[in-house]
Amino acid sequence: EHAPFLRARVTRGISLPRKILFISALSLALTCLFYWLMSCYKTLQFPSQESDVYQARELSDRTAFATLREKLSFATSEDHHGPESDTTDDDLNRQVDCTLDYGQKKLPQAIIIGVKKGGTRALLEALRIHPDVRAVGNEPHFFDRNYDKGLDWYRDLMPSTLDSQITMEKTPSYFVTSSAPKRIYSMARDIKLIIVVRNPVTRAISDYTQTLSKRPEIPTFEVLAFKNRTLGLIDASWSALRIGIYALHLEGWLQYFPLSQMHFVSGERLIVDPAGEMEKVQDFLGLKRIITDKHFYFNKTKGFPCLKKPEDSSTPRCLGKSKGRTHPNIDPDVIHRLQKFYKPFNMMFYQMTGQNFQWEQLEMQ
Ligand SMILES: Nc1ncnc2c1ncn2[C@@H]1O[C@H](COP(=O)(O)OS(=O)(=O)O)[C@@H](OP(=O)(O)O)[C@H]1O
């Protein structure tokens, strides 16, 4: 009589662990299936997602690095490019702005072609304040040293610009490169050319000071300036002196470009009245007059005008140590002889440009 009860107990006794076993096995299988599906999902989805993330990160890093590299290379460009290049250490302090990369890379519509040690860096840095100007930080040296690299290489160096913005670069050695006018003309015959000129004697001393800072063993300025000092024979083949024969170099440019496409900035006035010179440059470039005296202040320690600090930065912007170096004392007799040497070339230059830069009347700047 106990049999049905026992059967039931036995059946229940057997079926209960079976059910537990079944449920455990099922949940195990479901867990495995879940993990398998997850792993498939990861294999299928994550590599592309991760690589997207990686690419995006790499892209923004690249932009930041490119900008930094640009700043760095232009802070060390003197070492790479020899005496033609310049340094603006303070640009390293400028904020790296990766949000400005809108638009397209274009060939420049305006170039600061010279002159070396004229004040070209000060001009370019001031122009970069303008929202409608974007310029490459370092000197591309395309039309003198890198022409064989081609226009695509050159364009690729340029920052992206919107249609309303002007793309610019500065390489002061173009002005004295005889092949540069033709090359620039064949790229863009309507290009605007800016030349910052400075008293050729002061310019020569500035040029010499730069070389001396890198090679302190070179002979004195007085020695290098003459072929024969007793005979008063000036060595016009010395590049520091040759660059200052502006009329000679300008002749080559006038073979290709009308004067109306050129604008001459006085290097002297750029120091004493930066806003006044910038007004003329903005007019020449067809820009709204946005850069004004509000953007400059005279830094007594530096002895030069500097740019006031931008709203988003705590650092005012003076040019680096390589700008505004103390010049060595040069024998006044040598300076006088060089002034005499340059006088006819300067007169010719004033005539050609229709501007009197007054290098004869001014004391040595
Ligand atoms: N605001 C400001 N700050 C510093 N320096 C200034 C400024 N404006 C013009 N200058 C003068 O610029 C001279 C250097 O000229 P460049 O920039 O054309 O030199 S370079 O050819 O690019 O190396 C540099 O020449 P040196 O004084 O001989 O160093 C300066 O006299």
Side-chain angles (χ1 to χ4, degrees):
E1 64 199 26
H2 295 292
F5 170 74
L6 278 174
R7 213 170 26 247
R9 273 189 68 181
V10 168
T11 317
R12 227 180 286 140
I14 293 165
S15 73
L16 199 67
R18 261 197 199 160
K19 264 185 195 166
I20 291 167
L21 207 69
F22 175 72
I23 289 166
S24 308
L26 190 69
S27 71
L28 195 73
L30 282 172
T31 314
C32 285
L33 186 71
F34 172 76
Y35 278 109
W36 181 73
L37 282 172
M38 279 302 287
S39 82
C40 284
Y41 177 73
K42 272 187 187 172
T43 321
L44 289 169
Q45 300 293 321
F46 281 162
S48 73
Q49 275 185 357
E50 264 176 0
S51 75
D52 281 352
V53 170
Y54 178 70
Q55 274 173 14
R57 196 190 307 131
E58 192 190 42
L59 207 70
S60 75
D61 282 355
R62 230 187 292 143
T63 324
F65 275 126
T67 324
L68 273 174
R69 217 179 298 127
E70 192 180 281
K71 305 289 169 204
L72 270 171
S73 72
F74 112 66
T76 54
S77 62
E78 265 181 320
D79 299 330
H80 294 301
H81 295 141
E84 303 287 9
S85 315
D86 66 325
T87 307
T88 51
D89 314 352
D90 296 84
D91 278 84
L92 288 168
N93 297 329
R94 291 176 72 178
Q95 284 219 325
V96 176
D97 190 346
C98 304
T99 61
L100 285 169
D101 229 15
Y102 297 121
Q104 272 182 311
K105 285 172 181 280
K106 298 182 196 89
L107 290 167
Q109 293 108 316
I111 309 181
I112 301 172
I113 56 169
V115 299
K116 185 186 174 192
K117 305 319 287 179
T120 55
R121 177 55 64 187
L123 175 66
L124 189 70
E125 291 310 308
L127 265 173
R128 286 172 112 184
I129 298 173
H130 203 292
D132 294 337
V133 172
R134 292 216 64 206
V136 55
N138 53 1
E139 296 175 3
H141 282 275
F142 177 61
F143 297 103
D144 54 349
R145 300 180 198 156
N146 295 309
Y147 197 61
D148 54 346
K149 293 193 171 134
L151 279 175
D152 289 339
W153 176 88
Y154 185 46
R155 188 188 290 106
D156 208 43
L157 293 181
M158 300 299 150
S160 300
T161 45
L162 301 170
D163 287 342
S164 56
Q165 292 176 313
I166 298 179
T167 305
M168 289 193 71
E169 71 119 319
K170 80 118 180 161
T171 305
S173 50
Y174 291 160
F175 188 63
V176 297
T177 303
S178 55
S179 52
K182 189 180 180 186
R183 288 171 173 183
I184 296 183
Y185 181 82
S186 72
M187 175 188 76
R189 60 178 62 188
D190 60 345
I191 198 150
K192 292 186 178 178
L193 306 168
I194 299 177
I195 307 108
V196 190
V197 285
R198 179 183 186 185
N199 183 331
V201 183
T202 336
R203 199 221 65 82
I205 299 170
S206 170
D207 200 333
Y208 171 79
T209 310
Q210 178 169 292
T211 314
L212 191 67
S213 72
K214 279 179 275 178
R215 294 166 50 207
E217 75 287 354
I218 59 165
T220 63
F221 181 89
E222 289 85 343
V223 166
L224 292 167
F226 292 94
K227 273 192 173 139
N228 186 324
R229 193 168 170 183
T230 359
L231 292 177
L233 211 61
I234 281 159
D235 188 357
S237 67
W238 181 32
S239 76
L241 295 185
R242 194 173 163 75
I243 291 171
I245 310 174
Y246 303 141
L248 183 86
H249 308 296
L250 181 59
E251 228 185 345
W253 290 90
L254 287 171
Q255 314 262 311
Y256 290 89
F257 298 98
L259 210 56
S260 57
Q261 266 171 253
M262 296 181 202
H263 179 75
F264 298 89
V265 174
S266 156
E268 287 84 15
R269 283 201 297 268
L270 193 62
I271 295 168
V272 296
D273 178 20
E277 282 305 299
M278 292 314 295
E279 189 176 295
K280 288 184 266 178
V281 174
Q282 290 172 95
D283 288 354
F284 171 70
L285 292 174
L287 294 166
K288 224 171 129 186
R289 289 181 186 171
I290 285 179
I291 309 159
T292 63
D293 51 1
K294 287 192 206 82
H295 291 95
F296 300 93
Y297 77 99
F298 190 82
N299 185 305
K300 283 189 194 138
T301 325
K302 178 86 186 159
F304 284 94
C306 297
L307 295 172
K308 282 186 190 160
K309 63 184 167 102
E311 274 161 29
D312 55 351
S313 157
S314 58
T315 351
R317 290 193 283 134
C318 291
L319 295 187
K321 288 191 200 80
S322 69
K323 308 294 173 187
R325 288 187 181 105
T326 310
H327 295 177
N329 286 325
I330 307 295
D331 183 342
D333 174 59
V334 172
I335 290 178
H336 177 71
R337 287 213 233 172
L338 285 174
Q339 291 274 28
K340 257 179 85 177
F341 165 77
Y342 279 119
K343 193 172 174 175
F345 298 115
N346 289 347
M347 295 300 152
M348 204 183 291
F349 183 66
Y350 301 162
Q351 229 170 26
M352 291 164 94
T353 58
Q355 265 175 273
N356 185 338
F357 291 91
Q358 304 192 316
W359 292 318
E360 287 67 36
Q361 285 149 49
L362 296 171
E363 280 298 298
M364 284 295 298
Q365 298 108 7

